[in-house]
Amino acid sequence: MTIPSPEADAPEPPRHIAIIMDGNGRWAKARGLPRVAGHQRGVDALRGVVEAGQEMGIDYLTLYAFSSENWKRPPTEVDDLMGLLRLYLRRELRDLHRNGVRIRFIGEWRRLAPDIVKLIEDAERTTSDNSGLTLVIAVNYGSHREIVEASRQIAVAVSDGSMSLDEIDETTFASHLHTDGIPDPDLVIRTSGEQRLSNFLLWQACYAELVFMDVLWPDFTKSSLEQAIDEYHHRERRYGATRS
Ligand code: IPE
Ligand code: IPE
Ligand code: MG
């Protein structure tokens, strides 16, 4: 007789977790440090969460790194954030690739500085055949723009005759979003106590479970992720149906 281990009884982790990494500025302010120090520690937390996601066997991890609205911040802070993105891609690509991570970017990242665009293209190309965790990084991402752009592409296809009106359904529409080929998130986590989506995955998070946590992003650890997953396991996902 085999006695099942506690792990064997543990429910499957969510397939796709998306995180709104918020609170870097407040973390720095509480310590009398410049905001950039919070963003630097935020990258450390990000690294830890990617490792934890791999260990837990999560298939997709999407991280909101820079929104289409974050351009409203002072230019020095925008520069700091872009600098950290550069550094992350330069320093981490080799290890991520070695660990079998597949990297995808969503958002209008092609409008970033040319050297960052090259780093992103290189990261996506290098890791495209990997079969481990898919790490989706949202940069210059905003759902409204993504949905408008999808509508525009569909309108062009209909007007040039390559698509008929009848072909427009949820599946066709989703295939024109940046997340084409990526399953919808099961769990969306936002840190820092704010309870809003800030233009993140508005279409895709249609039936996601939302978990808002008070922890500031730089303090987010593997145990915070486990806590969010535990909360997720206590939810009943009904998708509009009655209780089973
Ligand atoms: C999240 O932290 C990082 C980004 C939005 C890029 P914030 O910089 O928003 O931190 P707070 O919300 O000001 O504390
Ligand atoms: C959302 O955080 C964007 C990212 C985490 C990249 P913000 O700090 O920009 O959101 P708001 O302004 O509080 O809604
Ligand atoms: Mg914020």
Side-chain angles (χ1 to χ4, degrees):
M1 193 181 109
T2 48
I3 298 160
S5 67
E7 286 81 18
D9 283 344
E12 289 285 304
R15 186 171 182 213
H16 182 176
I17 299 178
I19 309 183
I20 303 172
M21 309 181 288
D22 198 16
N24 295 351
R26 277 163 282 173
W27 183 94
K29 192 170 180 208
R31 286 160 182 77
L33 298 169
R35 290 178 63 86
V36 64
H39 295 314
Q40 282 161 344
R41 293 297 290 266
V43 176
D44 296 338
L46 183 158
R47 200 178 289 118
V49 161
V50 172
E51 274 171 27
Q54 285 174 270
E55 284 167 24
M56 290 175 186
I58 288 155
D59 290 337
Y60 295 85
L61 180 65
T62 297
L63 301 175
Y64 202 8
F66 191 91
S67 76
S68 49
E69 285 70 39
N70 286 147
W71 298 108
K72 293 178 193 163
R73 296 188 179 201
T76 48
E77 181 167 350
V78 170
D79 282 353
D80 288 338
L81 288 165
M82 292 300 152
L84 284 170
L85 175 60
R86 255 187 208 104
L87 217 60
Y88 180 76
L89 288 168
R90 282 202 194 118
R91 286 196 185 154
E92 311 284 330
L93 177 60
R94 206 180 334 151
D95 275 359
L96 290 167
H97 184 42
R98 197 185 304 132
N99 291 330
V101 172
R102 184 164 56 139
I103 303 175
R104 273 268 308 258
F105 275 77
I106 57 170
E108 297 193 330
W109 53 268
R110 285 196 169 78
R111 290 171 186 253
L112 302 179
D115 70 306
I116 298 183
V117 171
K118 276 191 74 179
L119 286 167
I120 292 176
E121 284 172 343
D122 186 38
E124 287 197 338
R125 196 180 329 106
T126 307
T127 63
S128 63
D129 291 332
N130 289 347
S131 55
L133 172 91
T134 299
L135 173 62
V136 183
I137 306 181
V139 179
N140 193 16
Y141 176 85
S143 284
H144 275 190
R145 211 180 284 168
E146 178 192 34
I147 291 169
V148 168
E149 190 48 40
S151 312
R152 195 192 306 272
Q153 286 171 15
I154 291 169
V156 168
V158 170
S159 67
D160 72 15
S162 56
M163 188 189 286
S164 74
L165 271 182
D166 290 345
E167 283 175 82
I168 306 174
D169 59 14
E170 285 93 331
T171 309
T172 318
F173 194 86
S175 74
H176 285 82
L177 298 173
H178 301 168
T179 45
D180 180 31
I182 298 171
D184 285 346
D186 303 291
L187 167 63
V188 174
I189 301 169
R190 182 170 189 146
T191 60
S192 89
E194 308 294 354
Q195 303 197 354
R196 55 178 170 264
L197 290 173
S198 301
N199 209 6
F200 186 51
L201 301 181
L202 299 184
W203 169 284
Q204 298 87 341
C206 168
Y207 262 106
E209 295 298 329
L210 309 182
V211 172
F212 298 105
M213 304 176 80
D214 285 336
V215 61
L216 299 173
W217 177 251
D219 292 327
F220 193 90
T221 60
K222 184 180 181 185
S223 128
S224 323
L225 184 62
E226 285 167 345
Q227 207 182 310
I229 293 173
D230 188 53
E231 162 84 36
Y232 168 84
H233 284 313
H234 284 86
R235 305 276 178 90
E236 188 190 17
R237 303 184 77 187
R238 288 194 289 274
Y239 300 99
T242 46
R243 286 172 71 96
S244 50

